[in-house]
PDB file of all heavy atoms in Angstrom:
ATOM      1  N   GLY A 104     120.880   6.229 133.819  1.00 88.00           N
ATOM      2  CA  GLY A 104     119.583   5.829 133.301  1.00 88.00           C
ATOM      3  C   GLY A 104     118.687   7.015 133.005  1.00 88.00           C
ATOM      4  O   GLY A 104     117.519   6.849 132.675  1.00 88.00           O
ATOM      5  N   GLN A 186     107.975  13.235 116.758  1.00 91.00           N
ATOM      6  CA  GLN A 186     109.402  13.082 116.871  1.00 91.00           C
ATOM      7  C   GLN A 186     109.837  13.021 118.314  1.00 91.00           C
ATOM      8  O   GLN A 186     109.072  13.353 119.213  1.00 91.00           O
ATOM      9  CB  GLN A 186     110.096  14.235 116.157  1.00 91.00           C
ATOM     10  CG  GLN A 186     109.851  14.383 114.679  1.00 91.00           C
ATOM     11  CD  GLN A 186     110.485  13.243 113.872  1.00 91.00           C
ATOM     12  OE1 GLN A 186     111.416  12.595 114.328  1.00 91.00           O
ATOM     13  NE2 GLN A 186     109.967  13.019 112.647  1.00 91.00           N
ATOM     14  N   ALA A 346     130.370  36.997 106.681  1.00 78.00           N
ATOM     15  CA  ALA A 346     131.228  36.588 107.787  1.00 78.00           C
ATOM     16  C   ALA A 346     131.601  37.779 108.646  1.00 78.00           C
ATOM     17  O   ALA A 346     131.768  38.907 108.150  1.00 78.00           O
ATOM     18  CB  ALA A 346     132.500  35.929 107.250  1.00 78.00           C
TER      19      ALA A 346
END
Side-chain angles (χ1 to χ4, degrees):
Q186 297 291 339

